[in-house]
Amino acid sequence: MGEIVFTEKQEALVKESWEILKQDIPRYSLHFFSQILEIAPAAKDMFSFLRDTDEVPHNNPKLKAHAVKVFKMTCETAIQLREKGKVAVPDTTLQYLGSVHLKSGVLDPHFEVVKEALVRTLKEGLGEKYNEEVEGAWSQAYDHLALAIKAEMKQENSQKP
């Protein structure tokens, strides 16, 4: 895989929009997970904090932490793509993410669900500042991060006895 072209403008768009969402994490984490469940109700059982409840819990620290991690890591990936032309997540982090996602039974289509929820949350949070360019930048960064996690999951799966 050659170097990925991620422009300075794309990086700036991702960083700026993340700054906006960061101003109301409780609201956007809730929105993010509500969107995941709207798109794929069955995904509920994959998240420990959603499993035993009929609605997305308000003020759940695990839910907030998970949503923040998705947004933050996608933002960090955008910066890495811009600076290094590739995803540069530390191996230990990738191994951890691969392992956790594998144990939770996450499959390729689930990454698309999360991406769609991410895009819908951006739309909600950015209002008039939202446009196709913003969506494109986030989508590209997210896709590369998802690929790295999926590759790690495949590797871990192939090492099982």
Side-chain angles (χ1 to χ4, degrees):
M1 200 166 100
E3 212 171 272
I4 300 148
V5 178
F6 200 82
T7 66
E8 228 168 293
K9 182 166 188 200
Q10 285 177 302
E11 181 192 16
L13 287 170
V14 171
K15 280 168 139 174
E16 283 161 21
S17 39
W18 171 228
E19 283 305 320
I20 293 169
L21 292 186
K22 260 202 299 208
Q23 289 163 21
D24 196 350
I25 293 293
R27 178 180 163 201
Y28 296 121
S29 347
L30 205 64
H31 188 79
F32 177 64
F33 275 101
S34 305
Q35 294 306 309
I36 288 177
L37 295 185
E38 194 175 292
I39 302 161
K44 182 170 131 69
D45 295 335
M46 294 182 164
F47 300 99
S48 59
F49 46 82
L50 295 177
R51 218 166 277 151
D52 308 316
T53 173
D54 286 333
E55 53 182 49
V56 181
H58 286 255
N59 298 320
N60 181 302
K62 281 186 176 163
L63 179 142
K64 251 184 271 188
H66 192 294
V68 167
K69 203 170 277 171
V70 172
F71 279 93
K72 201 172 161 198
M73 284 198 75
T74 304
C75 185
E76 285 166 0
T77 299
I79 297 166
Q80 294 159 6
L81 291 173
R82 163 82 191 94
E83 289 175 356
K84 302 184 170 80
K86 63 182 190 340
V87 178
V89 177
D91 286 349
T92 48
T93 306
L94 269 182
Q95 282 160 358
Y96 170 74
L97 289 171
S99 161
V100 167
H101 286 86
L102 207 57
K103 277 192 195 95
S104 304
V106 173
L107 303 168
D108 279 11
H110 297 129
F111 283 96
E112 286 305 309
V113 169
V114 170
K115 179 179 164 181
E116 177 59 29
L118 180 104
V119 165
R120 289 182 184 186
T121 306
L122 284 165
K123 261 184 196 155
E124 169 78 14
L126 299 177
E128 295 172 357
K129 292 196 175 93
Y130 180 86
N131 58 34
E132 280 180 7
E133 244 185 324
V134 171
E135 181 179 324
W138 275 92
S139 295
Q140 195 181 338
Y142 177 85
D143 287 344
H144 286 293
L145 176 60
L147 275 174
I149 296 172
K150 286 192 261 191
E152 191 57 53
M153 286 166 70
K154 273 197 189 89
Q155 195 179 333
E156 186 169 323
N157 217 4
S158 67
Q159 288 166 354
K160 278 188 179 160

